[in-house]
Amino acid sequence: MKLSVIIPTYEREEVLLDTIESLQRLMTPEFELLVIDQTLNHAVTIESRLNSLAEQGAIRWVRLPQPSIPMAMNRGILEAKGEIVLFLDDDIIPHEDLLQAHQQAHQQADLVAGQVLQPGEKSLTLQPGEPFRFTSNIPRQITEFMGGNFSIKRTVAIALGGFDENFIGAAYRYEAEFAHRYCQKYGLITYEPKALIHHLRVERGGTRSYGHHLRTAQPAHAVGAYYYLLKSKPNGWLWQILWRPLRSIRTKHHITHPWWIFPTLIAEARGLSLAIHKISQGPSYPIVFR
């Protein structure tokens, strides 16, 4: 099965080129690489290099006029030519077996979640009864995935309507909502630790463009959390909604910086209000209408 590698990117420069170049070393003719770029203006040298890669056919460079994580991912699904679409973050170092591991896992799975190591983390063998983490080196069946390293059969993604574009701002919990819909219809998600990336967590760009959730009155993070709970209704969803505002200020940051308590509570209230409004409008799955 042909695999389309899709990199949604926003406000990333040199690290995006590094990610592309590291993936190119793994590419063979059965793979294609799409860059779904939401950055309005790159540095001149970066723009030139991306243009050159596109002209050479090394990447397919798709530009979008405004940032939206689910919109970029939906566009990637529609543009992809492969039977499998693999979504990766734009600030990663891929393991040499990444692409083949995803491809092989799809012989028996529709959605595959890969291993994600954050800076300073190592692969671990979890003990019996220990909560699952994406650092685990043991394959298993799970109920969620991380948006920076997962693959899905394109027909399955389309059948689910793609990603809900009601997740705005940082689009927090958009993966959980998609995973909830997938598991309801198709069953559990396959976790394949051989499909490994090292996530660099670059400070500039990506979801970090929306600021730190502990230091803002903006609802860019909170709205997604409330929308997911109201829409998917996981176990204990109502209690989680009631508890979330208090939990959001019970942090070390707020103990040492109490002047951020009020702005954080404002962000939570605005996020809940926006989420309720979007729930009243219904989900946004534009991919099913194309």
Side-chain angles (χ1 to χ4, degrees), residues 44-238:
V44 174
T45 54
I46 305 300
E47 186 92 9
S48 175
R49 180 60 179 151
L50 289 169
N51 265 318
S52 177
L53 288 168
E55 290 172 357
Q56 295 168 19
I59 65 172
R60 289 171 58 198
W61 187 25
V62 179
R63 310 292 297 265
L64 298 183
Q66 61 187 29
S68 166
I69 295 172
M71 187 181 298
M73 298 179 81
N74 286 336
R75 181 65 178 271
I77 292 169
L78 292 170
E79 293 280 347
K81 297 178 181 178
E83 295 98 323
I84 303 167
V85 289
L86 166 59
F87 289 96
L88 297 173
D89 274 343
D90 55 4
D91 57 340
I92 66 165
I93 299 174
H95 187 272
E96 61 182 5
D97 295 330
L98 173 69
L99 304 186
Q100 287 81 4
H102 272 285
Q103 194 175 44
Q104 291 173 8
H106 276 280
Q107 294 178 9
Q108 298 182 1
D110 289 333
L111 198 163
V112 177
Q115 184 176 178
V116 179
L117 298 181
Q118 308 290 357
E121 292 184 339
K122 297 181 179 179
S123 294
L124 300 171
T125 301
L126 301 180
Q127 300 303 310
E130 190 175 358
F132 173 75
R133 299 193 299 276
F134 284 91
T135 56
S136 171
N137 57 18
I138 304 297
R140 62 181 293 174
Q141 298 294 297
I142 58 177
T143 58
E144 290 195 28
F145 59 87
M146 295 187 73
N149 182 17
F150 78 98
S151 58
I152 185 170
K153 289 179 180 174
R154 184 172 179 271
T155 54
V156 172
I158 291 173
L160 287 168
F163 295 89
D164 189 343
E165 294 182 8
N166 276 340
F167 282 90
I168 58 174
Y172 183 60
R173 300 298 278 165
Y174 80 93
E175 307 109 310
E177 187 278 329
F178 185 88
H180 179 80
R181 278 187 284 134
Y182 174 87
C183 290
Q184 281 190 319
K185 187 169 183 178
Y186 297 103
L188 294 174
I189 296 163
T190 295
Y191 173 68
E192 176 48 74
K194 292 180 182 178
L196 167 65
I197 66 166
H198 293 268
H199 185 211
L200 300 176
R201 297 190 70 175
V202 173
E203 288 301 318
R204 182 181 181 276
T207 58
R208 291 163 184 80
S209 300
Y210 297 96
H212 197 289
H213 69 282
L214 296 177
R215 299 189 295 272
T216 183
Q218 300 300 318
H221 292 82
V223 60
Y226 287 116
Y227 182 75
Y228 161 68
L229 292 171
L230 289 167
K231 183 183 179 189
S232 299
K233 293 183 171 61
N235 291 336
W237 66 274
L238 183 57

